[in-house]
Amino acid sequence: MAKRVLVVEDNELNLKLFCDLLRAHEYATEGVRDGREAVVRARAFAPDLIVMDIQLPHVSGYELIQQLKADAALRAIPIMAVTAYAGREDEERIRAVGADAYVSKPISLMRFVDSVAALL
């Protein structure tokens, strides 16, 4: 059975790119454009991994990671942050709130796929 990846990304082109790239590597994906929907979708979709942007409307990626990690049913799901925040202190902050991996934008397609595979 294919591993399931929930992609949380507000930019439609990036969301399509990530989902298409993951599907091409035989992952089952579901995309969410609004961080407010991510927790509900994570419960319904039961992903093996969550790939998410940090810059989201309505709720920041930092807050969303904290919500996911505070939820007993979801806290074990690894989270990979994909963001334009590329400084060392940005990565440290993202990991400090609970992300398991970090990939900076613009992404390297192979690094992205390799990071996903490493978490699964």
Side-chain angles (χ1 to χ4, degrees), residues 31-106:
V32 177
R33 293 190 62 204
D34 188 331
R36 295 176 298 188
E37 298 172 29
V39 174
V40 172
R41 289 306 311 142
R43 285 192 190 113
F45 184 59
D48 297 295
L49 172 67
I50 298 171
V51 172
M52 62 177 292
D53 191 9
I54 293 297
Q55 295 174 302
L56 296 167
H58 311 295
V59 59
S60 78
Y62 298 109
E63 293 169 310
L64 181 55
I65 292 169
Q66 290 172 326
Q67 288 175 20
L68 291 163
K69 293 301 183 177
D71 187 306
L74 304 174
R75 75 172 46 116
I77 300 169
I79 297 172
M80 183 172 89
V82 181
T83 183
Y85 295 137
R88 181 76 186 144
E89 53 284 338
D90 296 315
E91 180 177 359
E92 290 170 2
R93 182 173 177 212
I94 290 166
R95 288 182 181 274
V97 296
D100 300 281
Y102 166 92
V103 175
S104 63
K105 292 178 185 174

Side-chain angles (χ1 to χ4, degrees), residues 7 9-24 29 31-33 112:
V7 180
E9 169 64 66
D10 63 313
N11 179 291
E12 186 137 356
L13 291 175
N14 285 341
L15 180 63
K16 182 173 177 10
L17 170 68
F18 298 158
C19 287
D20 288 350
L21 182 60
L22 291 168
R23 286 183 193 123
T29 66
V32 177
R33 293 190 62 204
F112 177 82

Side-chain angles (χ1 to χ4, degrees), residues 1-4 20-29:
M1 183 164 185
K3 295 287 187 176
R4 301 161 66 88
D20 288 350
L21 182 60
L22 291 168
R23 286 183 193 123
H25 285 85
E26 300 183 4
Y27 295 104
T29 66

